[in-house]
């Protein structure tokens, strides 16, 4: 008795997760233009219709890929935050954010171009927010410090990816750490308005 490829795929495990993983691989190797439900199905060895059981459209697939990216970013930020204390932890988060963007540029761009409504997407922001709350002084409320820190590292990452700031190989994390650390120290010195 023979079994079709698509029937085998439905029984190999979590096809939804496999489709998102295949989409991530395609994104990293060929950019957003390489992503389609048909290409993801082919990469997973399932029928062209199989992804529609999990994603109604390409946009839904892109949202799932972006959500995975935010989850991965949150893990990086959490590990960085746990590696130090105080302003050094904020600097470590900044370095981790920029390193993530430089290591996975296609995913990073997709994450911020795609509407992403999954609950885990704000986890990365909450990690930064928690650190900012611990550092905020009378001169800058935690919400303002959080937004300013995010804008700083996101802007730096975008400038590096767009080659507006040229850095030597391996220098990006050190620059991000230094700039974020200096920013954190400056905000601690800001007098109350």
């Amino acid at each position: 008795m023979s079994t079709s490829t698509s029937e085998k795929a439905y029984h190999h495990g979590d096809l939804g997760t496999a489709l998102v993983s295949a989409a991530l691989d395609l994104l990293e190797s060929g950019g957003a233009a390489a992503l389609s439900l048909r290409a993801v199905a082919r990469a997973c060895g399932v029928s062209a219709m199989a992804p529609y059981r999990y994603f109604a459209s390409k946009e839904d697939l892109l949202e799932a890929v972006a959500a995975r990216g935010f989850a991965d970013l949150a893990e990086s930020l959490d590990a960085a935050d746990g590696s130090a204390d105080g302003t050094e932890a904020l600097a470590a988060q900044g370095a981790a954010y920029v390193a993530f963007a430089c290591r996975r540029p296609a995913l990073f761009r997709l994450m911020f171009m795609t509407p992403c409504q999954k609950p885990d997407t704000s986890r990365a922001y909450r990690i930064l927010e928690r650190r900012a709350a611990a550092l905020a002084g009378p001169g800058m409320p935690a919400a303002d410090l959080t937004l300013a820190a995010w804008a700083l590292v996101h802007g730096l990452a975008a400038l590096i990816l767009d080659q507006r700031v040229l850095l030597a190989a391996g220098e990006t994390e050190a620059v991000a750490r230094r700039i974020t650390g200096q920013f954190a120290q400056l905000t601690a010195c800001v007098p109350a308005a």
Side-chain angles (χ1 to χ4, degrees):
M1 176 177 179
S2 73
T3 308
S4 73
T5 304
S6 61
E7 287 173 354
K8 287 180 188 174
Y10 289 124
H11 299 291
H12 75 63
D14 185 356
L15 182 58
T17 300
L19 292 166
V20 171
S21 294
L24 279 167
D25 291 343
L26 288 169
L27 179 66
E28 295 298 330
S29 64
L35 280 180
S36 69
L37 289 171
R38 185 174 298 276
V40 170
R42 194 175 324 126
C44 286
V46 297
S47 74
M49 297 307 293
Y52 289 98
R53 295 176 68 110
Y54 300 88
F55 308 104
S57 66
K58 178 181 176 179
E59 289 73 29
D60 288 345
L61 173 64
L62 294 177
E63 184 177 321
V65 171
R68 171 84 66 85
F70 279 109
D72 291 351
L73 176 60
E75 286 180 24
S76 294
L77 295 180
D78 200 28
D81 189 67
S83 70
D85 292 318
T87 59
E88 285 301 313
L90 186 64
Q93 280 193 46
Y97 190 97
V98 172
F100 179 90
C102 292
R103 191 173 58 254
R104 302 174 81 181
L107 176 59
F108 182 78
R109 290 184 195 281
L110 176 73
M111 288 163 56
F112 292 98
M113 291 177 22
T114 305
C116 197
Q117 303 301 322
K118 305 288 188 225
D120 286 346
T121 59
S122 63
R123 185 171 157 241
Y125 193 79
R126 286 193 312 268
I127 293 166
L128 172 59
E129 192 174 45
R130 185 178 64 232
R131 176 57 54 194
L135 294 175
M140 183 176 276
D144 291 351
L145 179 58
T146 304
L147 184 56
W150 181 32
L152 176 76
V153 294
H154 189 82
L156 179 59
L159 288 169
I160 292 169
L161 291 179
D162 292 340
Q163 297 182 349
R164 301 292 186 219
V165 174
L166 300 176
L167 301 172
E171 192 180 14
T172 56
E173 284 186 61
V175 169
R177 183 180 294 271
R178 188 174 66 244
I179 289 172
T180 309
Q182 290 170 352
F183 167 77
Q185 289 173 356
L186 285 172
T187 59
C189 299
V190 174

